[in-house]
C-alpha cells in the first residue's frame, strides 16, 4: 500500500489566500478590517518566532495586527489590565495571549479574562462549553486545522472510527468534540489507557497529540488509516545537530497508513491559518455578519 503525505503547507497557503479574499470583500462591503491583537510576555525564543510569523501572516491577509510585547517581569495585574483594554477596543476582534507565560502570571486567570467573543485561541471555558454542547464557538486552531485536512482528503467523516491519543484542552479534547460533530465514533486514549496499541489499531482516523517523539509505532496503525500527527519534537542527530519528528514513527507508518501528515509540513502550518480564520469569524459575528 502506498502511503500518501497530507500537504498541510499547501492547504494552509490556499486557506490564507481565501481568507485574504474574504477580508478584502468585507472591507469593501462593510468597511470592516478584522483586527488581531497578540500579547507576548517575556522573551521565549520559540514564542518570539511564532509571534513574528503571526504578525506577518495577519498583515498578508489584509488584517490589522496589534502587537503588545511586555517584559518577563510584568505583573499579572498589568497583563489583566491590558486584556481588559483590548476587550473594550472595537478595532480588536481577536485577542491572543501567547503561552507559556512567566511563573508569576496565572494563565488560567488571563484566559478567563478574555472576552469569549474575541478568544481566537478558543481556550475560554465558554467556548469550550459551547463546542461541547454543539453550539457555534471559536475553536482551538490546531484541532480545527486537523478537521479541515481530514474533510479535504476524506470528504464525509460520518461513521468512521476515530481515536484521539492525548487529552489536552488545547488539542485532544477539542479534536474529539469536532470529530463527534462530524458524526465519527470517537475514543479518547491517553497514558493510562490499557492496551494503547490495540486501541490505536481500531482507528480509521488516528489523531496523535502527546508530545512524545515517535511514540506511536507503525504496527499500532490500522492498514489504510488516516494518521494526523500533531506532535513537533526536536531530537538529537548523530552529528550533534537536531531534527524535527512527530509523535508517530513516520518511516514505520509508510506502507501501512493510507494518509499521514508529515512533520514538519503537516499540521503545523494550519495553526496560524486557522488563527486568521478564527479572527475573521470573530469579526463577522461581532458585527452581525455571520
Amino acid at each position: 500500500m502506498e502511503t500518501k503525505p497530507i500537504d498541510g503547507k499547501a492547504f494552509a497557503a490556499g486557506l490564507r489566500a481565501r481568507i485574504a479574499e474574504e477580508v478584502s470583500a468585507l472591507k469593501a462591503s462593510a468597511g470592516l478590517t478584522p483586527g488581531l491583537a497578540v500579547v507576548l510576555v517575556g522573551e521565549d525564543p520559540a514564542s518570539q518566532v511564532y509571534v513574528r510569523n503571526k504578525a506577518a501572516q495577519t498583515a498578508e491577509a489584509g488584517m490589522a495586527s496589534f502587537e503588545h510585547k511586555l517584559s518577563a517581569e510584568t505583573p499579572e495585574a498589568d497583563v489583566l489590565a491590558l486584556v481588559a483594554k483590548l476587550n473594550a477596543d472595537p478595532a480588536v476582534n481577536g485577542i491572543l495571549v501567547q503561552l507559556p507565560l512567566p511563573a508569576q502570571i496565572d494563565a488560567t486567570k488571563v484566559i478567563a479574562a478574555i472576552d469569549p467573543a474575541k478568544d481566537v485561541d478558543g481556550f475560554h471555558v465558554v467556548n469550550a462549553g459551547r463546542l461541547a454542547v454543539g453550539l457555534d464557538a471559536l475553536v482551538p486552531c490546531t484541532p480545527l486545522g486537523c478537521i479541515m485536512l481530514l474533510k479535504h482528503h476524506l470528504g464525509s467523516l460520518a461513521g468512521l472510527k476515530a481515536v484521539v491519543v492525548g487529552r489536552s484542552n488545547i488539542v485532544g479534547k477539542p479534536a474529539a468534540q469536532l470529530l463527534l460533530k462530524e458524526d465519527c465514533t470517537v475514543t479518547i486514549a491517553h497514558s493510562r489507557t490499557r492496551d494503547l496499541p490495540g486501541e490505536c489499531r481500531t482507528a480509521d482516523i488516528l489523531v496523535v497529540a502527546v508530545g512524545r517523539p515517535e511514540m506511536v509505532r507503525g504496527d499500532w496503525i490500522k492498514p489504510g488509516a488516516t494518521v494526523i500527527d500533531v506532535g513537533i519534537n526536536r531530537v538529537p542527530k548523530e552529528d550533534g545537530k537536531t531534527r524535527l519528528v512527530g509523535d508517530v514513527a513516520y518511516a514505520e507508518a509508510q506502507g501501512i497508513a493510507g494518509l499521514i501528515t508529515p512533520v514538519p509540513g503537516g499540521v503545523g502550518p494550519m495553526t496560524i491559518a486557522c488563527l486568521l480564520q478564527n479572527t475573521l469569524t470573530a469579526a463577522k459575528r461581532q458585527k452581525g455578519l455571520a
Side-chain angles (χ1 to χ4, degrees):
M1 177 187 298
E2 181 186 358
T3 300
K4 296 181 180 179
I6 295 174
D7 191 342
K9 186 175 180 181
F11 187 92
L15 177 59
R16 292 197 307 272
R18 294 191 295 275
I19 291 168
E21 289 178 4
E22 192 168 349
V23 168
S24 178
L26 203 57
K27 289 179 182 179
S29 64
L32 173 60
T33 300
L36 173 63
V38 177
V39 178
L40 175 63
V41 187
E43 298 178 355
D44 178 78
S47 293
Q48 287 183 319
V49 171
Y50 197 43
V51 167
R52 273 202 304 273
N53 288 339
K54 287 173 181 173
Q57 292 186 29
T58 302
E60 286 173 8
M63 297 183 182
S65 177
F66 307 100
E67 288 187 58
H68 298 269
K69 296 182 179 179
L70 309 177
S71 75
E73 294 74 34
T74 302
E76 180 180 271
D78 289 3
V79 177
L80 293 172
L82 175 57
V83 168
K85 180 181 176 183
L86 296 173
N87 283 340
D89 188 342
V92 174
N93 304 110
I95 301 169
L96 183 147
V97 179
Q98 183 66 38
L99 302 178
L101 290 166
Q104 78 275 11
I105 302 171
D106 184 344
T108 302
K109 192 181 294 185
V110 173
I111 291 167
I114 297 172
D115 179 350
K118 296 187 177 186
D119 167 40
V120 287
D121 253 342
F123 294 164
H124 196 287
V125 292
V126 168
N127 281 315
R130 290 181 66 87
L131 174 61
V133 298
L135 297 176
D136 285 339
L138 291 171
V139 177
C141 301
T142 300
L144 178 60
C146 294
I147 297 299
M148 286 184 178
L149 290 175
L150 284 167
K151 291 175 71 174
H152 176 70
H153 285 276
L154 300 179
S156 172
L157 308 183
L160 296 178
K161 173 67 184 293
V163 174
V164 179
V165 185
R167 51 180 166 175
S168 73
N169 293 331
I170 295 172
V171 180
K173 290 175 185 174
Q177 296 291 350
L178 287 167
L179 287 162
L180 280 171
K181 192 174 180 180
E182 296 297 328
D183 296 319
C184 292
T185 300
V186 182
T187 296
I188 302 179
H190 45 78
S191 60
R192 301 292 181 88
T193 298
R194 294 179 182 176
D195 189 16
L196 181 58
E199 288 289 349
C200 291
R201 289 187 200 104
T202 69
D204 302 308
I205 296 170
L206 182 61
V207 179
V208 188
V210 290
R212 294 178 58 184
E214 300 183 324
M215 185 190 81
V216 173
R217 315 308 302 186
D219 63 1
W220 296 22
I221 299 168
K222 178 181 178 179
T226 298
V227 179
I228 303 294
D229 187 351
V230 183
I232 301 178
N233 311 284
R234 194 169 288 279
V235 298
K237 296 197 297 183
E238 290 181 2
D239 61 5
K241 296 180 181 180
T242 60
R243 63 188 178 96
L244 289 177
V245 300
D247 292 346
V248 178
Y250 188 82
E252 293 182 15
Q254 299 302 304
I256 302 171
L259 293 161
I260 188 170
T261 53
V263 177
V267 173
M270 292 297 295
T271 299
I272 295 180
C274 288
L275 173 66
L276 300 179
Q277 179 66 67
N278 275 354
T279 302
L280 175 59
T281 299
K284 290 164 64 179
R285 288 177 181 169
Q286 288 161 32
K287 301 299 181 182
L289 300 173

